[in-house]
Amino acid sequence: MSVENSDLLKTPLYSLHESLGGKMVPFAGYLMPVQYPLGVMGEHNHTREKAGLFDVSHMGQVVISGENADQWLETLVPGNIIDLKQNRIRYTMFTDDNGGILDDLMITRRENDIFMVVNAGCKAEDIAHMRATMPDHLELTELNDRALVALQGPLAAEVLARFTSGADEMDFMSYGEVEICGAKCFISRCGYTGEDGHEISILAANAEEVCNALLGEPEVEAIGLGARDSLRLEAGLCLYGHDITTKTSPIEGALQWSIGKRRREQGGFPGADKILGQLASGDIARKRVGILPAGRAPAREGTEILDAGDNVIGVITSGGFGPTFGAPIAMGYVDLKYSAAETPIFLQVRKKKLEAKVANMPFVAQNYYRKPK
Amino acid sequence: MTTYYSEDHEWINVESGVGTVGITDYAQNALGDIVFVEVPEVGDELAKGDEVAVVESVKAASEIYSPVTGEITAVNEDLEDNASLVNSSAGGDGWFFKISISDDSELEGLMDADGYKTFTAGLE
C-alpha cells in the first residue's frame, strides 16, 4: 500500500471503530472499518436479519441554500428536483457533457435549502463542479462537522423509534429533523443495503454517544464496509467508480428510472442530447445487467465476459459472493444483444471459462418500508 | 511426519516424500469467511513459488503459492461443496492438495512450528 496511514483521514467515529475491534483499511482517503470481529458474512447476515450500524461519515454532506437552488441544480442532474416535495429525497446523478456519470447522489429538499449526500471519492470534484456554475446568490456549505451513519435492517426503524418516536412511520425516501440522545439529527429513511432503515446525520461531537446508544440495543451490531459491499451488490445497487463511471451513461447503467417525465421532455442537463437520444431510440452498445455464475467460484471486478465463441462481450464491474443469496453474484456490462435475462454467457475466471447467465436484479428482494394506505 | 510452514502462511505436512498442503489458522482467520477454493488438478507439475490455488473470501480472492516443487497427487474434493472447512479446520479437514516432493532441500527454507509462531507474532 503506497498510501501511508498518516495521510488518511479519520471519521469522528474512528476511536469507536478501534474500541469495537474494527479492522481499519484505506478507503477513498479515509481509514474505515472493513469488518469487525463478527466478520463480513456474520455482519451481512445480521443486517439482513436484524439491524446493522454503518459509519458512512466519509461521504460528503453538502447544503445548497438560496433562491431557486433547485432550478440551478437541474442544470447539473437529470433528476426532477423542482417538483421534489419538502422533506422528500431523490436519487440522481451528476452527468457530464458526454452523457457519462460524474457521481451519483441523494438530494433532499428541506424547508429552507437543499441537502445532498455524495460519494466520498467524488466529493472534492463534485463541489468544484457545482461551484463552477453556481450563481453568486447561492451558498454551498460542506457539513464537515457532521458524522453520517446508516442504521439498516428489518428491525432498524423499530430500534430508531425507541430514541425518536415516529421514526418507524416515516415514508421511504423521506427526511426529518429529530433529537436522538439530546443531539439534533437529520434522519433520512433510505440507505444502500436493500433493507429498510435510516441514514442519520449527527454533529461530530455527538456521534459517538449516539452510536453507542444505538449499539446498546440488543438488535444492533456494528457493520463494516465489506458487508456494505455484499449487501448493496445483492440489492443490485451501483458502486460509483465501478458499476457507473464517466464512461457509462445513465441509460447504459440501467438508471433511466431516475429520470423523471418532465426532464425527459425538457432535457436541460449535461449530456441530455446523448442520454435522451439513447432513451428514445434504445440504441446503446452495452447495458448493465445482473450475472449469475453457474458454479461456486466468484467472478470479481474486471472479469471478462465471453460468448460461446470466446469473443469478449463485456466485463464484470462488481462481483463476489452473496451471503443471503447463497451463491456467487455479479453485475457488469454486456453488449446489448446479450442483455436479456437468462441469456447464457461465459466468464473468464483465471484460466477457466465458466458458465454463467444474465439475471434480473436485485438478487435479494428489496425490503423498503411502504406506509400502509 | 514433520510439518513445515511458509512465510506465505501455508503448512506442508511431509510423509514418505509426499507433502499435504493447506493454509494456516492464522491465514484463514485473516481471510475471513471462505466461500470458494480453486484447487489444482491431479498431475499438475509445479515449481516452488508457482500459483497453485486460489482462496475466495466474501470480500477478495487470494492466491496460494506452492511451497515446494513437485507433482500434484491428490486434491481435497470436499472443499468443492464446503469451502468453510478451511475456516473450521485449516490444519486438518481443510487441506488443499498433496504434492510429491521433487527436492527435499526446498523444505530447509521453511519454518518449523515454533519458527512460524515467532514469525506471525512479528506481524501483529
Side-chain angles (χ1 to χ4, degrees):
Chain A
M1 186 59 57
S2 61
V3 181
E4 292 292 325
N5 279 2
S6 57
D7 295 336
L8 295 165
L9 299 169
K10 293 173 180 172
T11 77
L13 294 167
Y14 180 83
S15 60
L16 178 62
H17 300 313
E18 288 217 305
S19 70
L20 293 171
K23 186 172 164 188
M24 307 305 287
V25 301
F27 181 82
Y30 285 79
L31 262 178
M32 299 298 292
V34 64
Q35 65 174 83
Y36 299 90
L38 185 55
V40 178
M41 188 95 82
E43 291 169 29
H44 177 112
N45 291 334
H46 186 88
T47 306
R48 288 267 184 258
E49 287 159 17
K50 292 178 179 172
L53 185 67
F54 303 72
D55 180 10
V56 288
S57 303
H58 56 313
M59 297 183 83
Q61 302 179 68
V62 177
V63 167
I64 312 275
S65 57
E67 207 172 337
N68 299 328
D70 53 355
Q71 290 180 19
W72 165 71
L73 256 181
E74 282 203 356
T75 67
L76 299 181
V77 303
N80 183 347
I81 310 304
I82 291 171
D83 299 312
L84 187 60
K85 292 190 173 71
Q86 187 179 320
N87 293 336
R88 305 300 296 197
I89 307 165
R90 184 148 286 161
Y91 172 83
T92 188
M93 56 225 67
F94 291 121
T95 51
D96 67 18
D97 291 338
N98 300 317
I101 300 173
L102 295 166
D103 194 8
D104 61 341
L105 69 156
M106 293 285 196
I107 290 180
T108 303
R109 179 190 293 280
R110 307 198 297 187
E111 185 176 1
N112 297 312
D113 55 27
I114 285 173
F115 171 58
M116 60 175 73
V117 177
V118 302
N119 280 302
C122 301
K123 65 183 170 186
E125 291 90 340
D126 288 345
I127 288 168
H129 178 64
M130 286 191 279
R131 287 200 189 280
T133 63
M134 193 174 77
D136 289 341
H137 75 276
L138 297 183
E139 191 171 352
L140 183 156
T141 312
E142 195 179 351
L143 305 183
N144 290 320
D145 58 343
R146 303 192 76 91
L148 187 68
V149 299
L151 186 65
Q152 301 276 293
L155 304 181
E158 178 188 323
V159 168
L160 191 63
R162 288 175 205 153
F163 296 88
T164 174
S165 67
D168 54 342
E169 290 167 15
M170 286 170 66
D171 278 339
F172 179 57
M173 296 295 268
S174 75
Y175 171 93
E177 296 179 6
V178 300
E179 276 196 17
I180 302 174
C181 306
K184 284 188 177 170
C185 297
F186 311 152
I187 59 173
S188 303
R189 197 155 198 182
C190 61
Y192 222 60
T193 59
E195 294 297 326
D196 185 20
H198 293 75
E199 288 186 355
I200 308 165
S201 172
I202 319 160
L203 276 173
N206 305 120
E208 192 168 319
E209 186 190 351
V210 170
C211 288
N212 273 324
L214 294 171
L215 289 167
E217 296 300 304
E219 300 90 341
V220 182
E221 288 283 350
I223 312 295
L225 290 180
R228 182 171 165 83
D229 192 51
S230 55
L231 288 158
R232 69 93 198 163
L233 179 56
E234 283 188 337
L237 300 170
C238 293
L239 179 61
Y240 186 79
H242 302 260
D243 307 309
I244 48 175
T245 70
T246 54
K247 308 285 186 201
T248 60
S249 80
I251 312 306
E252 291 169 337
L255 298 171
Q256 61 269 17
W257 57 268
S258 69
I259 308 176
K261 185 167 177 280
R262 181 176 56 75
R263 303 304 316 270
R264 294 180 186 210
E265 289 165 3
Q266 297 177 355
F269 53 89
D273 287 354
K274 181 168 175 186
I275 292 166
L276 296 178
Q278 289 180 344
L279 191 59
S281 66
D283 185 15
I284 47 176
R286 59 197 189 130
K287 190 179 168 193
R288 183 175 64 92
V289 296
I291 295 160
L292 287 181
R296 300 293 295 174
R300 307 283 177 180
E301 180 179 1
T303 299
E304 284 188 335
I305 303 171
L306 310 174
D307 66 8
D310 287 352
N311 300 298
V312 177
I313 56 165
V315 65
I316 284 179
T317 52
S318 282
F321 185 84
T324 305
F325 189 76
I329 52 174
M331 66 170 89
Y333 284 81
V334 292
D335 292 354
L336 191 61
K337 66 176 175 175
Y338 296 94
S339 64
E342 303 296 325
T343 304
I345 53 175
F346 298 87
L347 306 173
Q348 188 68 46
V349 176
R350 295 176 286 275
K351 291 169 190 162
K352 290 180 184 158
K353 184 178 175 182
L354 304 178
E355 289 181 29
K357 66 177 182 181
V358 174
N360 289 321
M361 291 190 284
F363 298 106
V364 172
Q366 291 164 342
N367 185 28
Y368 302 135
Y369 176 70
R370 295 293 171 197
K371 204 169 194 168
K373 295 281 178 196
Chain B
M1 192 168 76
T2 315
T3 305
Y4 302 88
Y5 298 85
S6 78
E7 291 190 357
D8 293 328
H9 305 285
E10 296 122 343
W11 53 266
I12 176 166
N13 198 339
V14 181
E15 196 169 13
S16 312
V18 174
T20 302
V21 178
I23 64 169
T24 64
D25 196 55
Y26 179 91
Q28 71 76 20
N29 191 46
L31 291 170
D33 304 295
I34 291 167
V35 296
F36 180 75
V37 180
E38 185 174 290
V39 292
E41 288 179 16
V42 171
D44 283 357
E45 293 188 1
L46 295 154
K48 179 186 167 99
D50 281 356
E51 186 182 316
V52 61
V54 177
V55 183
E56 301 257 10
S57 67
V58 178
K59 60 178 189 282
S62 308
E63 286 85 26
I64 303 299
Y65 303 98
S66 183
V68 293
T69 300
E71 184 180 328
I72 302 295
T73 60
V75 297
N76 187 353
E77 311 272 357
D78 291 344
L79 295 182
E80 197 170 321
D81 293 322
N82 192 6
S84 67
L85 281 174
V86 181
N87 289 122
S88 58
S89 180
D93 292 343
W95 64 278
F96 284 19
F97 57 89
K98 293 179 193 290
I99 184 168
S100 66
I101 299 170
S102 304
D103 179 1
D104 283 347
S105 71
E106 287 178 349
L107 297 169
E108 291 165 15
L110 300 171
M111 293 172 274
D112 62 12
D114 283 347
Y116 181 71
K117 200 172 169 186
T118 307
F119 173 71
T120 54
L123 299 176
E124 295 297 333

